[in-house]
Each structure stands twice: as structure tokens, then as C-alpha cells.
Amino acid sequence: MLLRYDPFREIDRFADGLFGNPARTPWMPMDAVRKGDRVELEFDLPGVRPDSIDLTVERDVLTVKAERQWLPEEGAEVLARERTHGTFSRQVLLGEALDPERIDAQYDQGVLRVTIPVRKQAKPRKVEIHSGEAQSIEVGSTN
């Protein structure tokens, strides 16, 4: 269904290893779950304005881009600045079983939920097995 390889994530892990930050987590974590005839992806985007999110599909690659900006007020003394800011992106490779033409997306309370239907051709179906005798046997599952 989904291919897990993210080349940018691998580069980040390599850089973190070189510069001593092995515990760093990705800024845009994602969960992926199959629910019957669809796959749901959820991306954590806390503090992101909905109008700064860009979701595109090109061939079999889903790209999520988002921007979170924070500038302290003039004259304010910044005591700590640990949250990540700027423009971020994440790519997910979609397998052939998914239908990129019918993707739906919703953003609520800092979570972007992307729903991708499974193609009709990829859904499980029963296959009738014929034997050399006059009877036939049904084998398979409809789930």
C-alpha cells in the first residue's frame, strides 16, 4: 500500500549522527492505518495555519508542505527557542493499490488527516475454482 522510504529522513538521521543529535524526532510525524477500503494518514502539524498547508500528488508521490512561523515581539528577550519553525515537507510514496484521484484531506486541531481509497481492482474478491468434475468450489475471502 504505502512505501516507507523517505530519502530526506535518512539524510537527517545521518546528519544527526554526525553532529550528535541521535534522539531528534521528525518534525512532521505521521501515522498510517488501513481501515477497510481506505488508508488514513495523520500528520501532526501543531501551530500551523490551515492556509499554509500545501498537499500535492504527482504520480505516486504524496507531498505535504507546511509552514510555522514565530517572531518574537520587538524588544522581547527570548529565553528559550526549542520549537521548530520554518517550512517543512514530507513525502509518502503511494503503492499501486491506492487511488490518488480520490484523495480527501481535513485539518482539525493541529492534525492533517488524509484519506486515500483503495482502488476497486486491488480489493480482495472471491475466485471460483473449477474442478475436473461437474461441481465447483468457492474459495477466498471477501474481506
Side-chain angles (χ1 to χ4, degrees):
M1 293 269 154
L2 296 175
L3 303 176
R4 296 178 151 247
Y5 180 69
D6 182 353
F8 300 107
R9 189 177 206 184
E10 298 305 317
I11 292 169
D12 286 344
R13 285 183 185 163
F14 178 72
D16 288 343
L18 285 177
F19 300 112
N21 190 10
R24 187 178 88 99
T25 58
W27 181 80
M28 196 186 303
M30 175 189 77
D31 290 334
V33 178
R34 178 163 182 180
K35 293 182 178 180
D37 61 351
R38 68 187 188 278
V39 171
E40 288 186 0
L41 310 176
E42 291 186 344
F43 298 89
D44 282 349
L45 300 170
V48 171
R49 291 184 338 273
D51 63 344
S52 76
I53 301 171
D54 186 34
L55 185 65
T56 59
V57 178
E58 185 175 343
R59 295 189 201 181
D60 60 348
V61 178
L62 174 79
T63 302
V64 180
K65 290 184 182 179
E67 182 176 359
R68 181 170 67 187
Q69 294 295 334
W70 174 73
L71 295 172
E73 294 178 24
E74 190 167 326
E77 180 183 357
V78 177
L79 302 175
R81 187 173 184 155
E82 297 177 354
R83 298 184 316 141
T84 308
H85 299 275
T87 302
F88 305 92
S89 68
R90 175 96 188 243
Q91 292 187 317
V92 178
L93 299 174
L94 306 177
E96 292 180 10
L98 299 178
D99 186 355
E101 298 296 322
R102 297 185 8 223
I103 292 178
D104 181 56
Q106 297 179 6
Y107 182 67
D108 187 36
Q109 298 182 7
V111 177
L112 175 65
R113 177 175 291 118
V114 179
T115 304
I116 311 165
V118 174
R119 291 182 192 267
K120 188 174 183 178
Q121 301 92 322
K123 293 179 186 175
R125 59 184 175 83
K126 283 192 174 215
V127 176
E128 188 175 333
I129 300 174
H130 301 278
S131 68
E133 301 173 12
Q135 62 182 354
S136 64
I137 304 168
E138 281 192 23
V139 177
S141 171
T142 59
N143 294 336

